[in-house]
Every structure is written in structure tokens, then in C-alpha cells.
Amino acid sequence: NVVGQLGTALTDEQINRLQRKGKRIVVALDGDGAGNTAALHAAESLVALEGNIRAAILPEGKDPDDVMS
């Protein structure tokens, strides 16, 4: 499953919904400084969940839709 979000904030409600979808979560946001920082913060928020949580750091200038298609 792939879930897209607008912006870089990950809410508690979104975390709860992700948890119900599966145990393997990869956070991938835009490949710029702000996106990388937000991906790491999101992964830190998700680490309390049981499962396999990772942050994918994308190449500079790449967006998740560039690498998912």
C-alpha cells in the first residue's frame, strides 16, 4: 500500500490510520532539506509503534512520486 499526504506534518490521526494498515511503514518526503528533516521527525513519531519503521531519504530535487512510479 502507498499513502500520500499533503505537506510535511504527520498528525496523530494519520499515525493511527497508518498503524491499522500494516506493520511496515516507510516515510518518504521530498528530497530537499525540509523534506528530509520532516521524514526523520515523522519516523521518530512512528517509532513508538510496533513494526518496521524507516525513513527513505530521496535524492536532492526528487519527490516521492518521482521514485514510486
Side-chain angles (χ1 to χ4, degrees), residues 4-67:
Q5 73 180 51
L6 296 173
T8 57
L10 186 63
T11 67
D12 289 340
E13 176 62 25
Q14 289 169 322
I15 290 171
N16 289 334
R17 289 177 184 224
L18 286 171
Q19 185 176 21
R20 291 192 300 261
K21 294 294 181 187
K23 296 287 185 187
R24 182 172 182 237
I25 299 172
V26 179
V27 178
L29 299 174
D30 292 355
D32 57 17
N36 291 337
T37 299
L40 292 175
H41 285 300
E44 289 171 356
S45 297
L46 292 165
V47 82
L49 303 177
E50 292 182 16
N52 185 354
I53 312 300
R54 297 177 185 242
I57 306 300
L58 301 181
E60 182 70 34
K62 294 290 185 180
D63 294 335
D65 63 316
D66 294 327
V67 297

